[in-house]
C-alpha cells in the first residue's frame, strides 16, 4: 500500500500511463512494459478471467513490503533448468503482473477525485496549524509580562488579608462558644413557658453550632449535654401531647405539633397521640366508676383501686347507676370531642400546607405531603379504634348491673343515654355501634320480659277490679296528648332519640347540626335528658260543668290536634256522672238532625273508654318509647304490645260475650276469623291451669311463665238485672273501649311498621288483619245476649200458640201478640234511652242491638208459625197481615234499614202456597230454616194436597239436608 501511496504522491495529476514511466528501476521491473500493456489492452477483457488470474497469485506476494519477490522466485527454480518451462512460467508471471497492474490502474483512476479533494484539505489544515502556532507564541509572551508585573507584586498583600480573615473567624467562633454556654438557662425558661417550638429551635441551632465547632475541646461536653436536653424536651412534649386528649386547646396543640415538625417526628407524634387517646379512655372511665363505687361503699376496706374495670362495674349500686352512666358518657364525650377537634385542626392545617409558597423547595413539599397523608390516614383509622374502645368500656358498664328491677322511667333514661351515645358514634365514625346495640339489647330483653310480665299481671288486676264505668275524657281526646306519646309529636322520624327530639322541637326549623357542631365550644349532649324530663302537666280529663273558652284555649294550646276539632265540640262538655248537658251545649237543630237510633242526644262524641283502656294505651306508649330508642328489640316489644291488646280483647270477650247459646241461635254471631283469634289467644297467652288448685304440677314452668291466668269479672258488675238491660252500660263501655283501643292501634300501625325489622313485618300485618280488625266483631256476640234477654220471646211464642190459624174468612184486624211484641220493643227503646243518659250509645251499637232484637223477633215469628198444627189460606193471609203490621210500627221505632231477616219471615209464609215440586226445590235452597220448620211446611201446608208417599219423600229430603249437621 505504501508503494501505491508513494506512487500516487509522485504522480500528481498525470495519467497513470505517464506515472508508470517515472517509476524507479526496481519498481519498473514489476510493472509491465508499454508493449505488454498494449498487448493486455488489445487482448479481450474478461473480468472473470482477470479475477481468476489474480486469484492464482501466490498468497506470499500479498504479505508485507519487505518481501523480496526476486529472491523468492529464484529459490523456487529447480536444480535443472528447462528453458521452455521457464518461459511458460515467465509468461504466467507476466500475465499475473499485467492483471494486477490493470486492477491497480483501474482503482487509481476510480479514486482520483477523492484523492485530489483530500489533498486540498490537508493543505488547508497545514495553513491553520501555522496560524495557531503564532497565536500561542503571542499568548505566552503576554502571560509572562502579567506574571512579572502583577502576581509577584501582590502576593504579600494577599497573605496579610488571609491572616486577617482567619483571626476574624476565630473571634466569631469564640463569641458563639460563649453564647452556647449560656443557652442552658434559656432552654429551661422556655420549657417552663411551654414554648416547645422555641426551645427545640434553639436546641437544634445550638447542636448545629456545636457540630461546627466540634474541633474545640471545650465544645465536646456541651454537645452531649444538648442531646440530653433535647431528649428531656421530647419527654415533656409527649406529656403536653397527652393533655390534648381530654381538653383540646388550639394554641396548645398548635405549639406541640410545630415542635414535632421541627423535630421531624410528625408521624411519630401521631402514633403517640393514638396511644394517649386509648390510655385517656381507660383512665377516664376507671376514675369515674371508681369515684362512684368508693362513694357508695363508704368506709369499706375493699381495695377497689386494684380491681379490674370490668369487676369494678359490678359494684355500682342501683341508685348511683344513672348518674355514673351519665358522667361516664360525659367524660367519654370530652375525649371524643378532643379527637374530633384534633381532626379539624389537621384538616385546616392541611389546607394551609397545600397552598404552595415560593420559598418551598420540591423536596420539602413532597415530604410535607407524605406526612399529611400519613396523619390523615392515621386519624381516620383511629376514629374506629377509639369508638371501639368507648363501646367496650360502656358495654362492660351496662352488663355489670342487672337492670331487670329498674323503674320504667329510669330504664328509659338509660336507653336514652345509650341511644344518644350511639348517635354520637354514628356522627363520630359512621358506626352502627353493634357492640353497644348487642349489650343494651341483652339488658333490654331481660328487663322487658320482667317488665312485660309485671304489666300483664297488673293489667289482669285492673281488669278484675274494673267496674266498666266511663272514664270522662275531653271530647277531642287524642293519644298524642298523653305524655307517653309526646315523643311521636316531637319528631316524626323514629330514628332519633327522645332527648335529641326535645332539642329539635324547641329550635326553629333549619338544617340540623351534628352533635359535634352543636357542642363544639361548650355544653354536653348528655345533660339534656335530666333537664327535660317532666316539662308540662297532662290535661285530658273532662271537668264537671261548663268550661270557658279562655280556659279551654289555655288547656289545648299545646296540642296540634286541636285544630282538627269542630268549634261546637270545643265548646261542648258534659258532666260525665250526671249526664246533664250545659246550657249552650247542643242546639235544637243539632238534636233534630240526630238519628233516633243514635242514643247520644245529650252527649258530645267523646271517646268511650275506661281507666283500664287508658292504662293499656299508656303502656303501649311506654313500650313504643322503649322501642323508639332501641331498634334491636323492636320485634319483642311489638309482640308484647300485641299481647296487651290480645289480653284486653280476650277479657272483654270472656266477661261479656261468652255464651253457649250462640251455636243454637244459628245467627253466625262469631266469625271464623274471630273464633280463630280467640282460640289463638287462649292457647298462646292464657294460663288455663292456673285456675285449679294443683296448677303448679301442670305443664313446663318455662311455658307457663309466658302465660297469664284468665281474668275474672268484678263482683261489682251485675249483668243479670233487667232494669239496666242486663248491664248494657257496662257492656257498651267495655266493647266500645275495645273498639276505641283498636282504632288507636290502627293509627299507630304506620309508626310501628317503620320500627319493625323487614323480616318480621308479616307478623305485624297478621296481627292487624286477624286481631285488631276483629275488635268490632265482638259487638255481635256481646250485644246479642242483651237482645236475647231484653224481649220476652217465649211469651210471644205462647201467645202465638193460642191463635187460631185455620180460619175461613180473611181478617182485617191483626193479632194481639203483635201489639204485645211492639210494646216490648217500645219498652226496649225506652230502656235504651235511659242507659244513654249515663253512657253514650254510638250508632253502630244501637244498630247491632236493634238488628239482634229484630232478627230474634223474626225468628221467633217463624218458630211460632212453624208450631201451627192447622192452617188455611186465610190463616196465611192473617200471618202476613200480622207481620206487615209489625214491620210498619217497627219502622217508626228504628231507622235501621233494611229491616233484618224481613225476607226470612216473608219467604216462610209464602212457602205455604208452593206445589209439591216447588217445595222439594225450596227445601234444597233454604237451609237457613230448621228441620222442624221445613217439616211443618210439608205436613201443614201440603198435607191436605199430597199423598202419603210424596210426603215421605219430602220429609226424607229434609232429613238428608239435616244429616251433615249432626
Amino acid at each position: 500500500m505504501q508503494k501505491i501511496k508513494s506512487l500516487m504522491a509522485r504522480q500528481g495529476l498525470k495519467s497513470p500511463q505517464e506515472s508508470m514511466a517515472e517509476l524507479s528501476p526496481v519498481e519498473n521491473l514489476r510493472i509491465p512494459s508499454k508493449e505488454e500493456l498494449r498487448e493486455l489492452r488489445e487482448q479481450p477483457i474478461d473480468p472473470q478471467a482477470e479475477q481468476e488470474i489474480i486469484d492464482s497469485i501466490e498468497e506470499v506476494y500479498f504479505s508485507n513490503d519487505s518481501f523480496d519477490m526476486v529472491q523468492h522466485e529464484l529459490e523456487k527454480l529447480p536444480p535443472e533448468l528447462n528453458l521452455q518451462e521457464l518461459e511458460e512460467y515467465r509468461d504466467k508471471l507476466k500475465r499475473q503482473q499485467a492483471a494486477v497492474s490493470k486492477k491497480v490502474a483501474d482503482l487509481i483512476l476510480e479514486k482520483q477525485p477523492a484523492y485530489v479533494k483530500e489533498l486540498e484539505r490537508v493543505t488547508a489544515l497545514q495553513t491553520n496549524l501555522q496560524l495557531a502556532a503564532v497565536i500561542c507564541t503571542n499568548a505566552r509572551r503576554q502571560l509572562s509580562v502579567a506574571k512579572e508585573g502583577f502576581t509577584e507584586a501582590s502576593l504579600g498583600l494577599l497573605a496579610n488579608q488571609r491572616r486577617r480573615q482567619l483571626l476574624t473567624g476565630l473571634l466569631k467562633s469564640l463569641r458563639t462558644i460563649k453564647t452556647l454556654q449560656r443557652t442552658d438557662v434559656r432552654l429551661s425558661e422556655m420549657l417552663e413557658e411551654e414554648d416547645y417550638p422555641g426551645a427545640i429551635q434553639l436546641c437544634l441551632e445550638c447542636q448545629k453550632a456545636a457540630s461546627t465547632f466540634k474541633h474545640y475541646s471545650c465544645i465536646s461536653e456541651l454537645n452531649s449535654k444538648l442531646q440530653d436536653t433535647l431528649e428531656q424536651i421530647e419527654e415533656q412534649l409527649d406529656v403536653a401531647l397527652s393533655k390534648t386528649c381530654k381538653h383540646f386547646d388550639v394554641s396548645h396543640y398548635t405549639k406541640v405539633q410545630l415542635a414535632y415538625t421541627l423535630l421531624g417526628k410528625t408521624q411519630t407524634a401521631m402514633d403517640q397521640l393514638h396511644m394517649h387517646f386509648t390510655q385517656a379512655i381507660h383512665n377516664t372511665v376507671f376514675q369515674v366508676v371508681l369515684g362512684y363505687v368508693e362513694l357508695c361503699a363508704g368506709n369499706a376496706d375493699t381495695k377497689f383501686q386494684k380491681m379490674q374495670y370490668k369487676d369494678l362495674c359490678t359494684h355500682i349500686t342501683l341508685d348511683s347507676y344513672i348518674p355514673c352512666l351519665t358522667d361516664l358518657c360525659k367524660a367519654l364525650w370530652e375525649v371524643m370531642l378532643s379527637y374530633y377537634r384534633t381532626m379539624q385542626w389537621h384538616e385546616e392545617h392541611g389546607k394551609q400546607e397545600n397552598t404552595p409558597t415560593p420559598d418551598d423547595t420540591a423536596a420539602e413539599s413532597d415530604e410535607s405531603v407524605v406526612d399529611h397523608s400519613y396523619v390523615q390516614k392515621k386519624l381516620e383509622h383511629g376514629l374506629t379504634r377509639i369508638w371501639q374502645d368507648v363501646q367496650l368500656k360502656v358495654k362492660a358498664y351496662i352488663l355489670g348491673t342487672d337492670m331487670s328491677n329498674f323503674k320504667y322511667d329510669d330504664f328509659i333514661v338509660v336507653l336514652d343515654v345509650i341511644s344518644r351515645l350511639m348517635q354520637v358514634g354514628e356522627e363520630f365514625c359512621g358506626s352502627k355501634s353493634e357492640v353497644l346495640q348487642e349489650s343494651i339489647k341483652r339488658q333490654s330483653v331481660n328487663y322487658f320480659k320482667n317488665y312485660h310480665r309485671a304489666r300483664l299481671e297488673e293489667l289482669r288486676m285492673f281488669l278484675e277490679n274494673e267496674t266498666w264505668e266511663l272514664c270522662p275524657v275531653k271530647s277531642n281526646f287524642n293519644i298524642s296528648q298523653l305524655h307517653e306519646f309526646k315523643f311521636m309529636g316531637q319528631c316524626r322520624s323514629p330514628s332519633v332519640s327522645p332527648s335529641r327530639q326535645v332539642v329539635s322541637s324547641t329550635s326553629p326549623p333549619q338544617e340540623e347540626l351534628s352533635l359535634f357542631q352543636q357542642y363544639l365550644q361548650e355544653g354536653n349532649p348528655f345533660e339534656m335528658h335530666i333537664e327535660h324530663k317532666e316539662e308540662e302537666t297532662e290535661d285530658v280529663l273532662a271537668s264537671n260543668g261548663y268550661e270557658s273558652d279562655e280556659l279551654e284555649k289555655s288547656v289545648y294550646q299545646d296540642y296540634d290536634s286541636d285544630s282538627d276539632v269542630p268549634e261546637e265540640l270545643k265548646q261542648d262538655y258534659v258532666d260525665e256522672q250526671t249526664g246533664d248537658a250545659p246550657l249552650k251545649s247542643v242546639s235544637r237543630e243539632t238534636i233534630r238532625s240526630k238519628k233516633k237510633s243514635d242514643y247520644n242526644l245529650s252527649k258530645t262524641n267523646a271517646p268511650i273508654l275506661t281507666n283500664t283502656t287508658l292504662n293499656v294505651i299508656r303502656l303501649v306508649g311506654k313500650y313504643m318509647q322503649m322501642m323508639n330508642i332501641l331498634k334491636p328489640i323492636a320485634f319483642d316489644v311489638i309482640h308484647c304490645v300485641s299481647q296487651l291488646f290480645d289480653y284486653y280483647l280476650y277479657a272483654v270477650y270472656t266477661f261479656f260475650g261468652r255464651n253457649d247459646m250462640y251455636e243454637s241461635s244459628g245467627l253466625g254471631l262469631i266469625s271464623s276469623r274471630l273464633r280463630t283469634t280467640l282460640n289463638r289467644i287462649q292457647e298462646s297467652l292464657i294460663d288455663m291451669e292456673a285456675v285449679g288448685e294443683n296448677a303448679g304440677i301442670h305443664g313446663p314452668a318455662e311455658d307457663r311463665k309466658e302465660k297469664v291466668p284468665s281474668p275474672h269479672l268484678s263482683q261489682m258488675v251485675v249483668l243479670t238485672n233487667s232494669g239496666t238491660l242486663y248491664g248494657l252500660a257496662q257492656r257498651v263501655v267495655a266493647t266500645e273501649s275495645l273498639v276505641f283501643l283498636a282504632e288507636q292501634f290502627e293509627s299507630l300501625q304506620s309508626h310501628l311498621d317503620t320500627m319493625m325489622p323487614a323480616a318480621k313485618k308479616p307478623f305485624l300485618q297478621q296481627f292487624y288483619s286477624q286481631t285488631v280488625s276483629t275488635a268490632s266483631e265482638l259487638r255481635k256476640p256481646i250485644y246479642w245476649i242483651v237482645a236475647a234477654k231484653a224481649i220476652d220471646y217465649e211469651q210471644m211464642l205462647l201467645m202465638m200458640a193460642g191463635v187460631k190459624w185455620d180460619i175461613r174468612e180473611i181478617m182485617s184486624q191483626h193479632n194481639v201478640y203483635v201489639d204485645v211484641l211492639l210494646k216490648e220493643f217500645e219498652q226496649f227503646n225506652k230502656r235504651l234511652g235511659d242507659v244513654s243518659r249515663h253512657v253514650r250509645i254510638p250508632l253502630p251499637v244501637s244498630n247491632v242491638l236493634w238488628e239482634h232484637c229484630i232478627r230474634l223477633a223474626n225468628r221467633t215469628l217463624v218458630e211460632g208459625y212453624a208450631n201451627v198444627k192447622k192452617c188455611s189460606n186465610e190463616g196465611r193471609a192473617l200471618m202476613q197481615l200480622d207481620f206487615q203490621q209489625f214491620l210498619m210500627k217497627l219502622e217508626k221505632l228504628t231507622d235501621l234499614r233494611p229491616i233484618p231477616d224481613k225476607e226470612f219471615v216473608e219467604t216462610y209464609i209464602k212457602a205455604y202456597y208452593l206445589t209439591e215440586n216447588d217445595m222439594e226445590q225450596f227445601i234444597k235452597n233454604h237451609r237457613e230454616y230448621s228441620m222442624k220448620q221445613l217439616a211443618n211446611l210439608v205436613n201443614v201446608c201440603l198435607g191436605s194436597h199430597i199423598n202419603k208417599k210424596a210426603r215421605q219423600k219430602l220429609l226424607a229430603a229434609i232429613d238428608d239436608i239435616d244429616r251433615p249437621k249432626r
Side-chain angles (χ1 to χ4, degrees), residues 313-379:
C313 290
T314 59
H315 287 79
I316 289 286
T317 60
L318 295 182
D319 293 339
S320 61
Y321 188 86
I322 290 175
C324 181
L325 176 63
T326 310
D327 285 351
L328 199 64
C329 290
K330 282 181 187 176
L332 288 170
W333 162 261
E334 292 295 340
V335 175
M336 286 187 281
L337 182 64
S338 294
Y339 194 86
Y340 177 83
R341 293 185 68 186
T342 304
M343 284 191 75
Q344 260 192 341
W345 186 93
H346 279 282
E347 279 176 22
E348 289 167 13
H349 195 66
K351 285 174 189 171
Q352 292 170 9
E353 280 187 352
N354 288 340
T355 310
T357 58
D359 302 335
D360 286 346
T361 63
E364 282 176 356
S365 65
D366 285 352
E367 191 179 337
S368 169
V369 168
V370 169
D371 275 352
H372 182 64
S373 172
Y374 178 84
V375 167
Q376 196 67 27
K377 285 179 182 174
K378 190 79 178 174
L379 284 168

Side-chain angles (χ1 to χ4, degrees), residues 437-588:
Q437 283 197 16
E438 184 55 36
S439 56
I440 201 69
K441 182 180 177 181
R442 273 169 59 186
Q443 284 286 32
S444 298
V445 170
N446 183 30
Y447 173 81
F448 196 71
K449 279 183 179 175
N450 283 348
Y451 182 76
H452 178 61
R453 176 74 193 164
R455 296 295 74 75
L456 277 178
E457 285 293 341
E458 194 179 272
L459 179 56
R460 181 167 76 99
M461 185 188 74
F462 264 92
L463 288 166
E464 290 183 347
N465 289 286
E466 180 61 71
T467 55
W468 302 103
E469 293 292 335
L470 200 61
C471 175
V473 292
K474 297 198 172 179
S475 58
N476 64 342
F477 169 74
N478 187 291
I479 58 168
S480 63
Q481 297 164 9
L482 298 173
H483 277 312
E484 286 78 5
F485 290 91
K486 287 292 179 196
F487 72 94
M488 286 174 66
Q490 284 154 1
C491 184
R492 292 295 171 204
S493 167
S495 61
V496 187
S497 70
S499 56
R500 186 179 181 185
Q501 293 155 3
V502 170
V503 177
S504 63
S505 65
T506 55
S507 60
Q510 56 184 0
E511 188 178 338
E512 197 163 346
L513 296 172
S514 74
L515 292 173
F516 286 96
Q517 290 165 332
Q518 286 179 47
Y519 301 102
L520 190 64
Q521 298 303 329
E522 58 182 353
N524 196 301
F526 295 97
E527 290 169 351
M528 296 303 298
H529 71 278
I530 297 169
E531 296 168 16
H532 294 277
K533 194 169 181 182
E534 288 292 334
E535 296 172 330
E536 51 190 77
T537 56
E538 181 181 85
D539 185 8
V540 294
L541 299 180
S543 60
N544 296 334
Y546 180 68
E547 292 183 78
S548 70
D549 291 349
E550 289 75 17
L551 173 63
E552 183 185 28
K553 282 174 189 171
S554 68
V555 169
Y556 286 107
Q557 63 188 359
D558 294 335
Y559 300 145
D560 293 336
S561 59
D562 193 32
S563 58
D564 302 330
V565 181
E567 283 301 316
E568 60 170 343
L569 290 184
K570 286 185 182 180
Q571 297 167 0
D572 297 346
Y573 292 94
V574 177
D575 187 326
E576 297 290 351
Q577 293 178 353
T578 64
D580 296 331
L583 294 174
K584 295 194 289 185
S585 64
V586 184
S587 66
R588 289 185 179 181

Side-chain angles (χ1 to χ4, degrees), residues 74-130:
L74 290 174
E75 284 175 356
K76 280 174 66 181
L77 291 174
E80 292 180 9
L81 301 170
N82 185 329
L83 183 60
Q84 189 179 352
E85 287 176 359
L86 283 174
E87 284 179 348
E88 285 175 1
Y89 187 64
R90 184 196 66 183
D91 291 342
K92 179 185 173 185
L93 288 175
K94 280 182 177 181
R95 280 196 303 276
Q96 287 176 345
Q97 185 185 13
V100 170
S101 296
K102 186 174 183 302
K103 186 77 172 173
V104 169
D106 289 344
L107 286 170
I108 288 169
L109 286 172
E110 186 183 331
K111 300 290 181 181
Q112 179 72 20
Y115 163 74
V116 172
K117 191 175 180 182
E118 191 64 31
L119 199 61
E120 287 173 358
R121 285 177 65 197
V122 168
T123 308
L125 182 63
Q126 187 175 6
T127 309
N128 287 338
L129 286 171
Q130 287 171 352

Side-chain angles (χ1 to χ4, degrees), residues 827-885:
Q827 186 64 28
F828 171 70
N829 195 17
K830 183 175 177 296
R831 286 181 182 178
L832 278 180
D834 293 340
V835 172
S836 71
R837 289 196 183 92
H838 301 286
V839 176
R840 176 173 67 87
I841 298 179
L843 184 60
V845 176
S846 63
N847 284 347
V848 168
L849 281 166
W850 277 100
E851 184 185 343
H852 280 331
C853 287
I854 295 168
R855 278 181 185 275
L856 286 167
N858 284 340
R859 285 169 186 273
T860 306
L861 286 172
V862 171
E863 188 63 25
Y865 297 150
N867 288 337
V868 175
K869 302 297 181 198
K870 291 179 183 179
C871 182
S872 62
N873 287 342
E874 290 78 8
R876 287 293 171 187
L878 181 58
M879 286 180 186
Q880 283 184 318
L881 176 64
D882 289 347
F883 187 58
Q884 290 306 317
Q885 176 69 17

Side-chain angles (χ1 to χ4, degrees), residues 91 194 298 309 375 500 529 540 636 639 649 902:
D91 291 342
E194 293 189 348
Y309 169 73
V375 167
R500 186 179 181 185
H529 71 278
V540 294
D636 302 273
H639 183 254
L649 183 143
K902 178 181 171 185

Side-chain angles (χ1 to χ4, degrees), residues 800-818:
M800 288 177 76
V803 176
K804 191 177 179 183
W805 300 104
D806 54 347
I807 54 177
R808 291 301 168 193
E809 58 183 48
I810 294 178
M811 304 294 288
S812 60
Q813 181 63 36
H814 60 271
N815 281 303
V816 180
Y817 75 86
V818 176

